Structure formats: C-alpha cells, structure tokens
Amino acid sequence: MPRMDDPAAQPAADLERRILDAIRRGASMEDIAGIKESDEATPDAAIRALKDGNARFFSGQATRPDVSANDRRAQIMGQTPYAAILACSDSRVPVELVFDQGLGQLFVVRVAGNVVGESGLGTLEYAIRHLDVHLVVVMGHEACGAVAAALLPEERVAEEPEHLQNLIRRIQPSVQGMPPIRDKKARMREAVLNNVRHQVSILRSQTVIQEAEAAGQIRVIGAYYEIGSGAVDFLIDEEDLRP
C-alpha cells in the first residue's frame, strides 16, 4: 500500500476524505456516488492505465488495488469505469488481475472467444451511453479453445451443441484462408489475433460505437494476453487493427 506522503496516494486520499465528509453531512447515496469520476478522463489515458497495470502484473509488482468502506459506499448508486473490456470467459484470463485494477475501474464482458453477440453488444452500448468509459478493448488470449475449435473441420464443429456451433461460426470468418504456418503456437497466435481484429471490426461497424468514436468519446482497440508470461500486447494503430 502506498504511503500517505507518496504523491501517487494523494488523489485516493482526497477522494476518501471527500466521501467521508459527505457521509458526515448526511449526503444521499446519489450525492456520494456523484463525487467519484472516471479514473482516466481520455482514451489515451485509459490505454496508459491498462499498460501500466499490466506491466505491474507481469513483472510481479501488482498492487491488487483495494477499496475502503467509504469507497464502496460511493459505488452503491453508480459506477464510473474508464474502460470496457470484451474478453474470453477462459478461467486463466482474470481481466481485473491482468490489468491490476480495482473495483469500479473496468466494465467487463466475458464470452468464449471474445465474440461480439447481441447481449454483449448491448452491454457495451450501455457502457458507452450511460457510463464514463473512454476505451473499448477486445482482448483475445494465448491457447483460446474457442478459436481452436473454429480451426477444426466443419464435420467436427457439427458435432457440437447448437449454441456452441453458433458461437464457433462467429469466429470462423476470421480464420478462414489463413496462410500455412508450420509452428502450431505461432499459428494459434495468428488465429487469435485475426479473431480480435474481426470482432473489433464488427464493433466499429455499429452505430453507437461509430458515433462515440467519431466524437472522440472512446477508442476501440484490440489486445492479446499471453498466459505464460502475463504480458498483454496492444493493437492500437489502424494498421494493427486492419482485418
């Protein structure tokens, strides 16, 4: 935990003091919730925060941010996450831990293969329209089982349950026609990255997301989490994101 004389600790200390003062004045929960704003105010700041948090995580210096009782009270009536993350449901990909973030900082949607579907898209639209997010990240990961399934022959996919088939088929367009890559690990990485780019492209074709990007409210980027090292590679530039 940072010392109170550490400049990095001052914003958190100031926020807690303001919340405590509001509680003592008998402020409503709505008033208390309104005290806290998004931790990162721009898309670029949000990207930096994720990069810094992941650097702490993979270097073994994670702070595992905790919150006080007063901080939790401030979140009862509202939330102000600065980034929304569409990630895989894989149990080896704990999003808040990977980015070393605490309660209320990330708005996370998890589905196998980090696939854009109706419910996930609606959830992200909610984050963009009604929360304080400045960044949307589609994050794939090393050894993704859903992407591996999309590489299987069609007869193998047809053996799966109906809804799982539907999910796999949302990934298949991104991995069809891949050039031959002899190294299996490299081939999987390329397939996962192709799927990330594909899902980013789907998101960016949606009206709500297009409007938010055009207004500078958000950026939509991709990411790849390497389970073995704990490091996240970011796909930020247009060339990196091009399907």
Side-chain angles (χ1 to χ4, degrees):
M1 180 179 296
R3 303 189 320 273
M4 292 309 295
D5 58 350
D6 182 348
Q10 286 306 118
D14 291 343
L15 173 62
E16 185 164 348
R17 188 159 42 248
R18 287 160 55 204
I19 292 171
L20 187 58
D21 288 344
I23 292 171
R24 288 170 175 163
R25 293 196 309 270
S28 68
M29 285 300 177
E30 289 89 344
D31 292 337
I32 294 170
I35 293 173
K36 187 180 186 304
E37 299 175 347
S38 174
D39 290 335
E40 309 300 337
T42 67
D44 287 344
I47 292 171
R48 284 196 302 273
L50 293 183
K51 286 184 173 183
D52 290 346
N54 179 246
R56 294 192 299 271
F57 173 75
F58 80 75
S59 64
Q61 299 176 6
T63 59
R64 300 289 189 273
D66 199 2
V67 293
S68 68
N70 290 330
D71 290 328
R72 289 195 298 274
R73 290 189 186 105
Q75 297 182 53
I76 291 173
M77 296 302 297
Q79 56 175 316
T80 53
Y82 67 82
I85 315 257
L86 173 59
C88 184
S89 298
D90 195 298
S91 61
R92 300 165 295 176
V93 189
V95 178
E96 286 86 355
L97 296 184
V98 166
F99 292 112
D100 195 30
Q101 301 297 301
L103 294 178
Q105 293 180 300
L106 301 181
F107 191 82
V108 181
V109 181
R110 296 184 66 172
V111 61
N114 40 273
V115 165
V116 177
E118 286 295 319
S119 58
L121 180 57
T123 303
L124 292 173
E125 288 180 344
Y126 170 77
I128 292 167
R129 282 287 177 89
H130 300 288
L131 303 178
D132 200 22
V133 299
H134 300 290
L135 185 69
V136 176
V137 184
V138 178
M139 185 170 77
H141 67 92
E142 180 181 14
C144 180
V147 174
L151 291 166
L152 293 173
E154 181 58 33
E155 57 269 22
R156 291 282 303 280
V157 174
E159 295 173 0
E160 299 293 350
E162 176 186 357
H163 298 297
L164 179 52
Q165 287 186 44
N166 292 339
L167 184 145
I168 292 170
R169 291 197 171 99
R170 289 179 179 270
I171 301 172
Q172 284 177 327
S174 68
V175 299
Q176 290 172 345
M178 281 183 58
I181 302 174
R182 294 181 65 180
D183 185 290
K184 292 182 179 179
K185 184 176 180 179
R187 184 168 186 261
M188 266 302 300
R189 177 185 171 91
E190 191 62 24
V192 169
L193 287 170
N194 281 356
N195 181 49
V196 167
R197 295 182 180 106
H198 179 61
Q199 304 303 329
V200 166
S201 178
I202 292 173
L203 285 180
R204 297 179 87 183
S205 70
Q206 307 302 311
T207 301
V208 169
I209 292 175
Q210 282 184 341
E211 291 175 349
E213 272 206 294
Q217 174 190 346
I218 66 164
R219 287 182 68 180
V220 183
I221 67 172
Y224 176 87
Y225 173 56
E226 191 172 72
I227 293 173
S229 71
V232 174
D233 292 331
F234 290 83
L235 286 68
I236 298 174
D237 298 335
E238 289 301 318
E239 182 60 27
D240 290 336
L241 292 169
R242 184 170 53 83

